[in-house]
Amino acid sequence: MSQPHTIVQTCDELRHQPEEFQEACRKLVVSHAINELHGARVFDEPAVALAPTPYAKWLCCRVAMEEYGHHVRFFELGREMGVPAEAMIPGATEKPPLSIFDFKLKTWEEFCVIKMLGDLGEILQVEDLVQASFIPLRNLARMTMPEERFHAAFGEDFCTELVATPEGRARVQDAINRIFPTLPAFFGRPKSKNNAMYRKWGLKVRTNEEMRLDYVERARRVVEDKLHLKLPKVDALAA
Ligand SMILES: [Fe+2]
Ligand SMILES: [Fe+2]
């Protein structure tokens, strides 16, 4: 049985908590700040140019605005916690963005698949954070969640439109085949020390392995049950 966690209401209160708790909060905030900004730069902003219609471009602008907004919110929380600004900017720090962003985006179908399946991964991450013991982080996750749901729904809706034609269907399946195997790495290594630290301090609920298994099953439901396409096999327990 896990013990009830200390609930920390403010950044000032956090300064009086054990150093490991503070470090765990900093790591989570820095990682989100870096990856939200990097994702907005390499996927969401370029997607505006790939979007095929004014309506799709308008929605892409909204998605890009929200992803930049997520960075801004995590960045501001990090600053309040005393994290140096340069530690939260990709490229300005030794901490690289996640490998899931290495995919070189070239087509509209790829972007739709990234939103449908990549942002589903983000939803799972935020599901744990909305219960976090550090209240400013919990509040931020609560603000972020409806937007992440919108991004995943955006991807699913456009993929549903695309698969209505045989060519579109083939292109979406091809994008899934190339993108999906890169995504389970989003959940980190099995038996991760950071994850154990996050759970110890009540910042996360699930292990990386539990999240990854849940993620693969939810991705399967979207791809196979809704779109009637095939989800490539991945080893859900390996990183
Ligand atoms: Fe985001
Ligand atoms: Fe998102």
Side-chain angles (χ1 to χ4, degrees), residues 12-23:
D12 272 345
E13 259 183 50
L14 184 66
R15 286 189 189 96
H16 303 290
Q17 295 300 316
E19 174 49 34
E20 192 189 49
F21 189 2
Q22 297 187 43
E23 188 200 342

Side-chain angles (χ1 to χ4, degrees), residues 37-109:
L37 179 54
H38 191 61
R41 283 174 175 169
V42 300
F43 293 156
D44 304 281
E45 192 178 333
V48 179
L50 299 173
T53 64
Y55 175 69
K57 284 183 190 294
W58 169 62
L59 282 184
C60 274
C61 287
R62 185 177 149 190
V63 171
M65 179 190 80
E66 290 176 351
E67 300 294 19
Y68 278 116
H70 296 167
H71 162 77
V72 170
R73 287 185 198 147
F74 278 101
F75 180 88
E76 284 172 351
L77 175 58
R79 293 298 293 134
E80 228 186 302
M81 291 161 64
V83 177
E86 58 281 7
M88 295 184 281
I89 304 292
T93 157
E94 63 283 4
K95 187 172 168 44
L98 293 169
S99 63
I100 57 169
F101 298 113
D102 293 347
F103 183 84
K104 300 278 175 269
L105 176 72
K106 291 199 185 68
T107 70
W108 172 239
E109 291 80 12

